[in-house]
Amino acid sequence: MGKFRRTVVESAILVAGGIYIYRNVLTPETKAKLSSMKDAVSEAVNKIQDMVAASKPADPTAEENEANREAVERQWESLGY
């Protein structure tokens, strides 16, 4: 339990430090650059997700399944099984 608690405390400190730096230390130009970087990464992730979704093969229809099953049965019969 101690390791988990330590990890949570360290994470909270890092997040609080990041928020403080973002709000009080960074210039508006740097904030704008960070925002544009976030948008670019988000756009790239969306494009990759779209490409992966488009490359998924469609589920075979019942007719295609039946034709495949029959072809496999013929192949097994030709082998003597």
Side-chain angles (χ1 to χ4, degrees):
M1 188 67 171
K3 186 175 182 178
F4 175 75
R5 183 177 178 190
R6 179 179 173 182
T7 302
V8 170
V9 169
E10 288 174 351
S11 298
I13 290 171
L14 286 173
V15 168
I19 291 171
Y20 175 81
I21 289 172
Y22 184 81
R23 288 186 179 171
N24 300 316
V25 176
L26 298 180
T27 64
E29 295 84 21
T30 306
K31 289 179 184 178
K33 287 181 183 179
L34 285 174
S35 179
S36 68
M37 287 173 45
K38 177 196 66 84
D39 293 340
V41 169
S42 177
E43 183 179 334
V45 167
N46 289 336
K47 284 182 181 179
I48 291 171
Q49 287 176 337
D50 292 343
M51 288 172 33
V52 168
S55 68
K56 279 187 171 179
D59 292 334
T61 63
E63 296 163 347
E64 292 171 333
N65 282 338
E66 183 63 25
N68 185 41
R69 186 186 63 75
E70 291 172 357
V72 170
E73 285 179 357
R74 283 192 304 275
Q75 291 171 349
W76 279 107
E77 287 174 3
S78 71
L79 293 172
Y81 290 98

